[in-house]
Amino acid sequence: MSEGIFTLDAEVRTDLGKGASRRLRHNDKVPAVLYGLGKEAVSLTLSHNKVFQAQEFEAFYSHVLTLNVDGKKVEAVIKDMQRHPFKPRVTHLDFLRVDAKQALQTNVPLHFVNEAKAESIKTHGGHAEHHMVDVEISCLPADLPEFIEVDVINVELGQTLHLSDIVLPEGVTSVELAKGEDHDLAVVTVKTAKGPSVESEEDDAEGEEAAAE
C-alpha cells in the first residue's frame, strides 16, 4: 500500500449548489467540505479517480490525511463519504481538520482474530456473531490506529465480549465507555450453531411416513 493514498490534492470551490455539484461529477470531480477546529467550513473539489483509488484501502478511513488545498497542506480525517446507490462512484466527502495537540474522535474498524482457532468454534461448533464492525475512539492524531483487534481465541460458547474487554492501544480511549458503565456495548458473541428444530424433524418424519404409504 502506497503512502500516496493518504495525500490528496484539492481546490477551493466557490460555485456551490446542486447544479454545480452535478457539473463537477460529470467532469470526474468530487465535491467535498472541510470543517473543524473552530474554523470556517471550506468547500472543495477533488479528483474522483484519486479518491476512488484511495477509498479502496481500509486504512484510508482511519488515517490522518494530508490535503493540499491550493498549495497549502491541511491535516484531516474522513468523517463521512457518500456513494452513488448503484454506480461505482463517490459523490461527496466530509473532512474534519485535526490538530496534532488536540484529541480527535473518529471510528476505526475492528478486526476479529483467531475465530478459526477458538475451541468454542473449532471444536464445539459455535459461530461468532459480530455486534459491531467499528468503534468510536478518542486519541491524539499521532496515536490513531488503522484498526483494533478483537481476539476471540478464549471466548466460550454463549460468552459475549464487551467494549471493556477490548485491549485498546496506548493513548486510545473508547468514546462510549467514557459515558459510563451502562455504555459497555456488546462487541461479539460466540453462539451455538442452530440445529434442526423439533418441529422440522417431526415434519420430516411425517413426510417419510406419507411417502412410505
Side-chain angles (χ1 to χ4, degrees):
M1 179 177 61
S2 171
E3 288 293 317
I5 70 167
F6 302 131
T7 301
L8 298 171
D9 293 328
E11 298 176 353
V12 175
R13 62 187 175 99
T14 54
D15 189 10
L16 307 177
K18 291 184 178 180
S21 294
R22 281 195 295 268
R23 289 191 293 273
L24 285 174
R25 296 181 186 114
H26 183 72
N27 291 320
D28 287 329
K29 301 289 185 179
V30 182
V33 62
L34 171 66
Y35 57 89
L37 297 181
K39 299 179 180 180
E40 186 177 351
V42 179
S43 296
L44 304 173
T45 301
L46 297 91
S47 164
H48 181 269
N49 289 342
K50 184 65 182 294
V51 169
F52 193 78
Q53 291 171 8
Q55 62 86 39
E56 293 183 315
F57 294 91
E58 181 185 56
F60 179 70
Y61 303 92
S62 54
H63 199 284
V64 175
L65 309 175
T66 298
L67 300 179
N68 292 321
V69 182
D70 289 343
K72 182 180 179 181
K73 295 184 182 297
V74 180
E75 291 193 329
V77 293
I78 288 282
K79 287 301 288 184
D80 188 50
M81 178 183 292
Q82 298 175 22
R83 294 178 172 84
H84 193 280
F86 56 87
K87 294 180 181 180
R89 293 195 62 83
V90 176
T91 59
H92 193 271
L93 294 164
D94 283 14
F95 293 103
L96 175 68
R97 296 184 184 94
V98 299
D99 186 317
K101 297 180 181 180
Q102 293 186 24
L104 63 89
Q105 291 185 1
T106 190
N107 286 62
V108 297
L110 296 175
H111 285 189
F112 296 88
V113 299
N114 291 322
E115 287 187 1
K117 297 179 181 179
E119 288 296 317
S120 56
I121 297 175
K122 179 181 178 181
T123 304
H124 302 298
H127 72 279
E129 181 175 296
H130 302 161
H131 302 298
M132 57 178 66
V133 296
D134 57 22
V135 61
E136 188 177 14
I137 62 169
S138 176
C139 65
L140 291 174
D143 296 326
L144 181 62
E146 292 186 4
F147 59 86
I148 291 174
E149 287 191 349
V150 180
D151 194 349
V152 299
I153 188 69
N154 294 317
V155 181
E156 300 177 353
L157 276 178
Q159 182 182 355
T160 297
L161 292 184
H162 293 79
L163 287 175
S164 59
D165 299 310
I166 307 306
V167 179
L168 297 176
E170 186 175 354
V172 177
T173 60
S174 164
V175 172
E176 282 299 316
L177 281 180
K179 299 175 183 177
E181 294 182 0
D182 55 340
H183 289 267
D184 192 7
L185 306 179
V187 177
V188 59
T189 301
V190 175
K191 291 190 172 183
T192 303
K194 291 184 178 180
S197 65
V198 175
E199 186 174 310
S200 63
E201 290 177 352
E202 291 177 350
D203 291 342
D204 290 342
E206 291 176 0
E208 290 175 358
E209 290 177 2
E213 292 175 359

